[in-house]
Amino acid sequence: MISRFWALAVSLLILPSLALNAQGRRVTVSGYITDSATGETLIGAGAVSVDGSGSRIGAVTNSYGYYSLTIPSGNTSIQYSYVGYGMVVETVRLVRDTVINVALDPSAAIRESVVVASRDAGIQSTYLGAMEVPLAQIRNTPVLFGESDVLKAIQMMPGVQGGNEGFTGLYVRGGGPDENLILMDGVPIYNVDHMMGLFSVFQSEAVKKVTLYKGSFPARYGGRTSSILDIRTNDGNMKETHGSLGIGLISDKLHLEGPILKDRLSYSLSARGMHTAVFAPVIRAILKDTYANYYFYDLTGKVTWRLSDRDRFFLGAYHGRDKFLYKEYYDWEGYEIYDDGSRTDYSCSSREGMDLHWGNTVGSLRWNHIFSNRLFSNATVAYNRYKMSMGSESFEKGKRNGVKYKENYNLTFNSGIRDLSARMDLDFTPNPSYLVKFGGEYIYHTFIPETLTALEQSYGNGMEATDTTLNFIDNKRYRGHELSVYAEDDWSLGRHVTVNPGVHIALFVADGKPYISVQPRVSSKFSLDCGVSFKAGYARMAQYVHLLSSAQISLPVDLWVPITRNIRPVTSDQFSAGTYYDGLKGWEFSVEGYYKAMNNILEYKDGTLLLGNSGCWEEKVEMGKGRAMGVEFFIQKTTGKATGWIAYTLAKSDRLFPEGNINHGERFPYKYDRRHSLDISFNYEFTPRLELNATCSFASGGTTTLPEKTTAVLLPDRDEVISADYISHRNNYRLPPSHRMNVGLNVHRPHKRRGEGIWNFSVYNLYNYKNPNFVFVSYDQIYDAQTGETTSRPALKKITILPILPSISYTFKF
Amino acid sequence: MRINNIYIALTILATVSCTGVIEYLDDDTSYEIVVNMQTSTAAESHTVFVSKGYRQEVKGLEGAEVTILVNGDEVCKAIQEEKEDFVDAHGNHYSNEWHYREQARYLFDHVFKPGDRVGIRVEYDGRTALAQTVVPDPGTVEKLDTMSVNRKDILGEMSGFLEYSAALRDVDGEDTYYRVEMIERKTVTGHFEQDGMKVRDDITEYIEEPIDYYVFSDPVLLDGYPSMTDDNILADFTPVNSMNVFSDRLFPDSGRTVRTHVMKVGYQYAYFVFRDPDTGAMLYASSVDMVGETVFRLMTIDRIEFNYLKAINNFQAYGYDSSFIIEPTSLPTNVSGGIGVVSVASVSEMAVSLERFGVVGREVIYY
């Protein structure tokens, strides 16, 4: 099998070159397409060669802004363009391979691209379910407290649900939140949530491009089964220093980027933090002996070094934290008189408290190297850590009858995951009909599910001094080795047909057991001249890590665990097909259907206590199957003063655990099985200084499990029944639909000297609809004024944590 | 600590949130007819428990017409039991109005056999609920041995046990589910003497009762549940196999020897207490004799009953109410037009002579 793979790979690489070399002399034009104002590389920009006969050959830049175009030698015009930038036309006479780096001017912006757009995503690409999320949409989508959020914007896409109302979880085509591979410059981020999911860790100011894959997946991605979210951050302005300073209701943001050495070395730095981070002394002054605080912060940075036309280096880092603290202080003095008349005088000061913090730390070093005009490489080494830590302390020191004493008890709980990785990606363009991508990756995983230790210290209390560390839970660290290789070819068979075959092969060794997975990927596209195209695709994916979670919100105590000897990798097989139309200028229409079958998905067995499971989690879960199917309708207007889209999804998802420990072996709806979802995004630019953004969302209710009746349960050999909650099946109750409208207004005010200020006025949940975040049973005390009696009525209640929320923020850009 | 932090997190959310009523549960006055019966082919008399399951409570359903069907034919009607005092194994009577609050009991006599298609039809107030089950073919207890052993009990202390080794034979060709009971059938004779003189006639009672047993490490009987000696700081909330159910997944269509353990004890106080058949007075014997047998009973059940009893295992671990920190447990049903579980198990059993009690005497002696 492996030897056949290498034979296929070699064939894909060599044969096309041999064939086409027989057709006449060709030359390769390559280089970077950048923003003329910042020097930032443009991902997905187009380069189209138009010869004298009108024949067009095109290419687009890769994830690093590099393009390679092989065309016949001679006179030609090459049109370079990108949405939001003015087009540049280079008329050249080509006799040999040539490097042409082009800078596009954003001030001459056009609102549409005249060239074939990105090969990686969108209607023009071969991939199904692949979407580029416009940055403007991310920054202008009105969300909570005026904060722009990458994941909240993605929830507006068809096939993507947000899980619990208002939270950032991603549930893509019936998959769970741990089945999404979220990459920041190619490095996975494990926990992407602040405030238990109200905000994501990504700052929109630092983001350059966001691409979502949810249907057919490029072979270069692996390790998750539902979606790939590829987020690229800014490289830094090579020309001038620019930035922005934003003040909002709950957080402040700072973004700075600029040259260290003009056109050679640049930096980009973004920081965000909650106001409460600086309120600690104020809180302490108000609460006196009690201190409580919660805050989060993010730091994102990158240094880009353009060593030469062939070599570029990128040093990137991210660090973010959520922190919750609670402390109580008290001092007291007193005495105690005993029965025998003796007396003991006390004086002491004590401190009790707890702290909880969690977050990610990521570091990466990348090297782009151009071997030749046709061969581009990217090498990456990265470190990635997610850690959650909880601690509680009880400290007391003082004097008893003048004798000093001290007692200290600290409890620390840790959980986390750590990765070291190395990756190599190569792009080879033998000719315009082929774009071959291949490479490999190695990841060394260390999983630390749970450790619980205590420190006991005591002296001067009349007993023997102690200083002891106790390990209550010290679960073994799981180590996993993940090795993968891939190859894919974007192959144009004439004007109308493109095919992208590929394969991703992965080896994962955990607990001494190897798992090999061969994951074929194929997508195809047939396009007509009238703008109609048809696509079909198949992708097999495999996943080697799981997130053990049952709560309806993202909790930092959720555990990342690897596959083991007994728990096999999750796999998915997805078939998708669709029809697309972009023949009407400024409009895009698509209808896409999918069917996804999942194997070895995990859920907790019936009756499992959702605590302390890392030591024996394998015994508490069961492997089963899932399936998801749906149809997604998407209409988008991309040009003009009014832009936006309408996305409607009709979907169904369920689960089956045949062993019988979950729902007695019968199929049941998935927790986030929402039949209908409708998202409307609308943007209107009244003037260049005034723009309105509005979003409307509607979704059928998800499911939860609630007792339907009270039943009588008969135990064997017993002569009586016991009343019990009757639940016919898991996820038996469908929550009411949720819907809301968010509105935002951006007012731009240019400053005389430099920059502009932007006022944002937004309202989240404009008509204050009480969407259910949690559902529970409670008893209302109803007072009857006429009778004077109070009765207790059982009620099914909902908690809404996000009512109407107006906000105002100010951002100064310079 | 995790639970505390979950509560803190939810408390924070609750303080910044608002609540609303989706619906009042007592507005729903509908009920489900609940039909339960757990019996076997070894019994001649059976009890059907019928209730009304409302949203928030369950009540006994009196006055229903309960018809017993076997292989499609109506064989008899079950008659509602008169409300009587509860009578224990020693013939003691207790008032038990509360006993009938959540259930109405309907009694009938019939002997079931493997292969019977059993139906119980409950008709009430224009509604009909029909429970249907098939009596499964029995697995077989081919051999039963016993051996005295000393080993650690669930508290970690050395104790005397009788180890019972039962050779089982599975039913061929299908997935089969089982439950194990251990029963003692014994004749207890009390002797009444004072100062060496007999003061009244002996009193003899016949007792048949289930006994507790332990499964320490047998993988077939544990069937994936933790053993009873696992050291787990959250053991109080960990479901164990308290209903003693298992499937044939480890020994399909073949034989397997399983092991149970019963603790050896001295004669318990209760065996010294007798009721005077003439006066009804409670009498304390000066000595007792006990003879009888210990029965290893293998009950072959259907899949519905198997899943039902596994759900009961979960309930026994953490209670019968739902909680957000515990994955919910759903209950299967084989009642159309209602809910509940009706089951007739096939029985195969083997007995050995009763051995686990100590020497006679007024003192309670422990091994």
Side-chain angles (χ1 to χ4, degrees):
Chain A
M1 181 173 64
I2 303 297
S3 61
R4 267 185 270 170
F5 160 72
W6 284 114
L8 173 65
V10 169
S11 301
L12 287 173
L13 293 172
I14 295 179
L15 288 178
S17 297
L18 295 176
L20 287 161
N21 279 339
Q23 296 178 12
R25 187 143 192 280
R26 287 180 168 260
V27 295
T28 299
V29 180
S30 62
Y32 286 95
I33 301 178
T34 59
D35 181 314
S36 64
T38 66
E40 197 75 45
T41 56
L42 300 176
I43 302 172
V48 176
S49 161
V50 183
D51 65 13
S53 67
S55 174
R56 299 162 70 93
I57 300 173
V60 293
T61 55
N62 63 13
S63 298
Y64 312 100
Y66 180 81
Y67 77 96
S68 177
L69 184 62
T70 301
I71 51 178
S73 60
N75 293 321
T76 187
S77 293
I78 305 176
Q79 300 171 351
Y80 297 90
S81 69
Y82 191 57
V83 175
Y85 291 77
M87 186 168 62
V88 169
V89 179
E90 295 280 353
T91 302
V92 292
R93 177 176 169 76
L94 298 169
V95 296
R96 67 176 71 85
D97 292 346
T98 305
V99 174
I100 301 179
N101 295 318
V102 176
L104 301 182
D105 184 1
S107 63
I110 54 173
R111 290 210 170 263
E112 56 184 298
S113 170
V114 297
V115 301
V116 173
S118 171
R119 244 167 160 165
D120 274 351
I123 280 187
Q124 297 297 329
S125 79
T126 313
Y127 301 114
L128 293 94
M131 314 186 78
E132 285 177 14
V133 186
L135 283 182
Q137 181 65 34
I138 293 172
R139 290 169 184 157
N140 293 332
T141 297
V143 288
L144 288 171
F145 302 110
E147 303 276 337
S148 58
D149 193 278
V150 171
L151 298 190
K152 293 279 177 62
I154 288 170
Q155 290 174 0
M156 301 287 294
M157 298 292 160
V160 182
Q161 296 180 2
N164 216 333
E165 164 65 19
F167 291 83
T168 58
L170 290 183
Y171 296 80
V172 181
R173 291 189 173 179
D178 61 330
E179 296 174 19
N180 307 305
L181 179 64
I182 301 177
L183 301 168
M184 180 188 284
D185 287 332
V187 183
I189 304 290
Y190 284 100
N191 183 291
V192 297
D193 298 316
H194 287 308
M195 291 185 76
M196 292 180 289
L198 286 175
F199 303 98
S200 74
V201 302
F202 303 106
Q203 296 174 247
S204 57
E205 295 79 13
V207 171
K208 180 162 72 172
K209 192 173 180 73
V210 178
T211 309
L212 173 70
Y213 301 93
K214 51 187 170 72
S216 53
F217 300 97
R220 58 188 177 273
Y221 298 112
R224 299 290 189 277
T225 52
S226 273
S227 79
I228 311 293
L229 184 62
D230 191 345
I231 298 174
R232 301 284 165 174
T233 62
N234 294 324
D235 294 336
N237 193 322
M238 285 276 180
K239 311 285 185 184
E240 293 180 323
T241 298
H242 288 277
S244 64
L245 177 65
I247 299 174
L249 277 185
I250 66 166
S251 71
D252 302 320
K253 293 180 282 189
L254 172 67
H255 174 72
L256 280 175
E257 59 177 296
I260 300 173
L261 291 174
K262 192 172 180 182
D263 293 325
R264 281 289 175 195
L265 189 63
S266 69
Y267 73 95
S268 173
L269 179 66
S270 302
R272 172 177 64 173
M274 281 184 75
H275 300 307
T276 51
V278 298
F279 286 172
V282 175
I283 295 173
R284 178 76 190 271
I286 294 172
L287 297 179
K288 302 295 181 193
D289 297 327
T290 300
Y291 168 65
N293 196 8
Y294 170 81
Y295 61 86
F296 69 81
Y297 65 86
D298 298 292
L299 296 169
T300 309
K302 185 189 282 187
V303 173
T304 301
W305 180 24
R306 193 180 293 171
L307 177 64
S308 67
D309 283 344
R310 288 187 175 270
D311 295 283
R312 297 182 180 210
F313 292 88
F314 307 86
L315 180 65
Y318 166 80
H319 178 74
R321 277 289 181 274
D322 282 73
K323 206 167 172 70
F324 171 76
L325 298 164
Y326 177 82
K327 279 188 169 65
E328 267 190 283
Y329 302 84
Y330 51 93
D331 302 319
W332 65 281
E333 292 184 11
Y335 62 88
E336 191 170 352
I337 297 178
Y338 300 98
D339 292 340
D340 62 0
S342 62
R343 163 178 167 142
T344 300
D345 292 301
Y346 294 93
S347 66
C348 77
S349 62
S350 63
R351 176 180 73 234
E352 289 187 354
M354 64 156 293
D355 77 272
L356 167 66
H357 59 269
W358 68 93
N360 303 281
T361 300
V362 177
S364 66
L365 177 62
R366 288 192 293 117
W367 173 34
N368 288 171
H369 178 67
I370 301 172
F371 288 93
S372 72
N373 292 61
R374 301 186 186 187
L375 184 61
F376 173 94
S377 73
N378 174 68
T380 307
V381 291
Y383 169 83
N384 178 12
R385 181 173 189 182
Y386 167 71
K387 181 179 176 183
M388 186 278 295
S389 182
M390 285 189 292
S392 70
E393 67 164 352
S394 175
F395 176 82
E396 182 176 308
K397 70 175 182 180
K399 290 182 181 179
R400 291 192 188 99
N401 286 339
V403 178
K404 288 184 182 177
Y405 74 94
K406 183 179 86 169
E407 291 175 354
N408 184 30
Y409 187 80
N410 282 301
L411 204 62
T412 305
F413 174 91
N414 290 304
S415 174
I417 180 171
R418 186 174 62 223
D419 288 350
L420 291 168
S421 62
R423 183 183 177 98
M424 186 75 171
D425 299 286
L426 295 113
D427 292 0
F428 178 54
T429 315
N431 64 69
S433 297
Y434 295 91
L435 172 57
V436 180
K437 301 190 180 202
F438 60 100
E441 182 177 30
Y442 169 72
I443 307 176
Y444 176 61
H445 299 280
T446 303
F447 299 87
I448 310 160
E450 280 183 335
T451 61
L452 179 63
T453 57
L455 173 65
E456 280 186 336
Q457 293 173 317
S458 172
Y459 78 85
N461 57 2
M463 300 169 64
E464 188 176 340
T466 60
D467 190 345
T468 310
T469 298
L470 307 169
N471 292 313
F472 292 114
I473 302 174
D474 190 11
N475 295 305
K476 66 175 183 178
R477 300 190 172 202
Y478 292 91
R479 312 217 187 254
H481 302 270
E482 184 176 350
L483 177 67
S484 61
V485 293
Y486 72 90
E488 61 179 284
D489 182 13
D490 205 45
W491 186 10
S492 298
L493 302 169
R495 281 176 52 228
H496 297 288
V497 180
T498 53
V499 179
N500 187 302
V503 66
H504 184 101
I505 300 173
L507 167 69
F508 195 97
V509 180
D511 209 10
K513 182 175 170 65
Y515 290 94
I516 295 178
S517 169
V518 178
Q519 304 164 35
R521 319 270 175 88
V522 62
S523 56
S524 60
K525 177 184 158 198
F526 175 71
S527 53
L528 303 175
D529 291 332
C530 58
V532 174
S533 57
F534 305 93
K535 298 185 194 177
Y538 164 78
R540 183 173 178 87
M541 305 288 283
Q543 180 167 332
Y544 306 100
V545 295
H546 304 278
L547 181 66
L548 295 183
S549 169
S550 181
Q552 294 182 31
I553 57 175
S554 169
L555 289 175
V557 296
D558 296 339
L559 299 177
W560 283 98
V561 291
I563 57 170
T564 66
R565 288 185 164 273
N566 304 313
I567 304 297
R568 296 184 294 276
V570 180
T571 60
S572 72
D573 295 278
Q574 182 170 175
F575 301 87
S576 45
T579 302
Y580 310 82
Y581 177 67
D582 64 347
L584 186 62
K585 191 173 178 182
W587 288 87
E588 293 179 0
F589 303 83
S590 69
V591 177
E592 190 172 306
Y594 66 90
Y595 178 85
K596 180 163 69 174
M598 296 163 271
N599 288 293
N600 303 326
I601 51 175
L602 296 185
E603 284 210 24
Y604 282 117
K605 296 177 183 176
D606 286 357
T608 299
L609 183 67
L610 305 175
L611 303 171
N613 289 327
S614 71
C616 52
W617 66 272
E618 292 178 63
E619 301 163 15
K620 299 194 173 184
V621 298
E622 186 170 316
M623 289 186 289
K625 303 180 184 186
R627 52 178 198 188
M629 61 204 81
V631 179
E632 298 166 4
F633 299 85
F634 190 62
I635 300 173
Q636 184 177 19
K637 183 174 187 290
T638 59
T639 61
K641 283 184 175 291
T643 58
W645 69 66
I646 300 174
Y648 170 72
T649 304
L650 174 66
K652 182 180 177 186
S653 180
D654 56 33
R655 300 288 187 265
L656 171 67
F657 294 83
E659 282 187 32
N661 294 305
I662 297 176
N663 205 54
H664 34 88
E666 295 177 4
R667 198 176 292 277
F668 60 94
Y670 180 49
K671 188 190 303 184
Y672 294 102
D673 174 37
R674 293 177 132 163
R675 195 68 66 244
H676 307 279
S677 63
L678 175 67
D679 293 284
I680 301 173
S681 174
F682 176 75
N683 305 285
Y684 190 81
E685 184 181 287
F686 293 98
T687 70
R689 295 186 186 180
L690 185 65
E691 56 190 1
L692 172 74
N693 313 106
T695 62
C696 293
S697 298
F698 171 88
S700 303
T703 61
T704 188
T705 306
L706 290 175
E708 298 156 54
K709 294 289 185 193
T710 301
T711 187
V713 166
L714 178 65
L715 303 185
D717 307 317
R718 294 283 289 270
D719 197 37
E720 61 186 11
V721 298
I722 302 171
S723 64
D725 287 338
Y726 176 70
I727 296 170
S728 61
H729 61 275
R730 194 177 275 203
N731 298 331
N732 59 342
Y733 184 85
R734 195 156 291 273
L735 295 168
S738 59
H739 51 87
R740 61 176 148 76
M741 174 185 282
N742 306 332
V743 177
L745 194 67
N746 288 333
V747 180
H748 298 255
R749 300 195 59 151
H751 282 227
K752 290 179 184 176
R753 280 189 177 181
R754 184 185 177 183
E756 67 170 354
I758 304 172
W759 287 95
N760 171 271
F761 306 91
S762 65
V763 180
Y764 181 89
N765 196 2
L766 182 66
Y767 49 85
N768 197 26
Y769 184 72
K770 304 286 194 299
N771 288 304
N773 290 103
F774 309 101
V775 177
F776 63 102
V777 176
S778 174
Y779 287 83
D780 273 359
Q781 303 300 315
I782 310 294
Y783 174 72
D784 188 331
Q786 289 185 340
T787 64
E789 289 182 355
T790 301
T791 56
S792 179
R793 295 191 68 187
L796 185 63
K797 290 187 174 180
K798 61 182 178 182
I799 289 182
T800 300
I801 65 169
L802 299 172
I804 181 170
L805 292 170
S807 67
I808 180 172
S809 66
Y810 178 76
T811 302
F812 176 67
K813 288 189 173 180
F814 55 90
Chain B
M1 177 186 288
R2 284 177 72 192
I3 183 63
N4 288 336
N5 285 288
I6 292 174
Y7 278 128
I8 289 171
L10 293 175
T11 300
I12 293 171
L13 282 176
T15 58
V16 299
S17 65
C18 51
T19 60
V21 175
I22 297 175
E23 60 176 306
Y24 282 104
L25 301 179
D26 55 3
D27 284 346
D28 179 6
T29 57
S30 66
Y31 64 88
E32 292 280 356
I33 297 176
V34 185
V35 184
N36 286 300
M37 183 176 77
Q38 301 263 327
T39 189
S40 73
T41 54
E44 295 178 355
S45 298
H46 314 280
T47 305
V48 182
F49 296 79
V50 185
S51 309
K52 287 190 284 188
Y54 294 89
R55 195 74 188 261
Q56 293 292 294
E57 62 176 349
V58 63
K59 296 180 179 177
L61 195 162
E62 299 179 7
E65 184 173 332
V66 180
T67 307
I68 312 304
L69 306 158
V70 178
N71 298 322
D73 298 324
E74 183 177 316
V75 296
C76 64
K77 299 280 190 189
I79 307 301
Q80 184 174 345
E81 184 188 60
E82 299 283 335
K83 291 183 182 178
E84 294 179 350
D85 289 347
F86 175 69
V87 181
D88 68 13
H90 295 278
N92 303 313
H93 287 250
Y94 302 93
S95 172
N96 63 343
E97 181 65 33
W98 58 269
H99 183 60
Y100 296 92
R101 188 177 61 227
E102 294 179 334
Q103 65 199 359
R105 298 151 57 90
Y106 294 78
L107 311 179
F108 68 97
D109 295 330
H110 186 78
V111 177
F112 296 105
K113 55 186 188 305
D116 281 345
R117 288 180 291 111
V118 179
I120 297 179
R121 186 174 63 221
V122 177
E123 294 165 282
Y124 177 79
D125 195 24
R127 296 173 57 170
T128 303
L130 176 64
Q132 299 183 90
T133 185
V134 176
V135 183
D137 290 330
T140 313
V141 183
E142 296 184 321
K143 190 178 175 188
L144 182 65
D145 290 319
T146 183
M147 181 170 69
S148 184
V149 298
N150 287 318
R151 60 160 297 147
K152 285 184 179 178
D153 62 18
I154 59 173
L155 299 178
E157 298 175 359
M158 293 301 291
S159 298
F161 287 88
L162 277 177
E163 179 179 280
Y164 292 88
S165 301
L168 309 181
R169 168 68 55 181
D170 183 37
V171 178
D172 288 341
E174 54 191 57
D175 292 337
T176 320
Y177 309 94
Y178 300 100
R179 186 167 70 86
V180 167
E181 286 184 342
M182 294 201 70
I183 298 166
E184 284 180 348
R185 298 179 183 130
K186 44 197 179 247
T187 303
V188 185
T189 302
H191 309 291
F192 301 86
E193 295 177 353
Q194 193 168 358
D195 297 327
M197 299 284 292
K198 187 171 180 178
V199 295
R200 62 148 292 132
D201 292 337
D202 295 342
I203 300 177
T204 298
E205 292 179 346
Y206 174 76
I207 299 172
E208 179 171 327
E209 60 185 2
I211 58 171
D212 292 330
Y213 66 89
Y214 301 95
V215 178
F216 288 118
S217 59
D218 191 298
V220 171
L221 296 182
L222 289 174
D223 201 28
Y225 284 92
S227 70
M228 295 182 181
T229 55
D230 274 356
D231 183 16
N232 186 338
I233 60 173
L234 296 171
D236 286 344
F237 299 99
T238 303
V240 294
N241 198 0
S242 52
M243 292 293 108
N244 304 312
V245 292
F246 61 98
S247 67
D248 66 346
R249 62 188 179 95
L250 291 178
F251 67 110
D253 300 351
S254 66
R256 180 78 180 232
T257 298
V258 297
R259 288 180 177 76
T260 62
H261 293 81
V262 178
M263 191 173 261
K264 285 185 179 179
V265 293
Y267 282 149
Q268 303 296 296
Y269 173 83
Y271 295 114
F272 286 78
V273 178
F274 294 82
R275 184 173 289 279
D276 190 319
D278 299 320
T279 67
M282 302 301 292
L283 303 174
Y284 189 77
S286 53
S287 64
V288 297
D289 290 321
M290 189 183 297
V291 294
E293 58 187 7
T294 303
V295 178
F296 184 99
R297 173 178 283 181
L298 178 69
M299 306 183 73
T300 309
I301 57 179
D302 64 8
R303 186 183 167 99
I304 294 277
E305 175 76 357
F306 175 69
N307 288 329
Y308 172 75
L309 293 178
K310 288 180 68 172
I312 302 297
N313 283 338
N314 293 341
F315 290 155
Q316 299 247 312
Y318 58 79
Y320 289 77
D321 298 323
S322 305
S323 168
F324 79 98
I325 62 170
I326 297 173
E327 281 291 352
T329 297
S330 56
L331 282 169
T333 180
N334 58 3
V335 181
S336 60
I339 55 179
V341 172
V342 163
S343 168
V344 182
S346 300
V347 173
S348 173
E349 61 184 42
M350 194 162 280
V352 292
S353 63
L354 187 67
E355 291 185 29
R356 75 178 179 112
F357 288 96
V359 177
V360 301
R362 289 188 72 88
E363 300 85 5
V364 175
I365 300 173
Y366 295 91
Y367 282 98

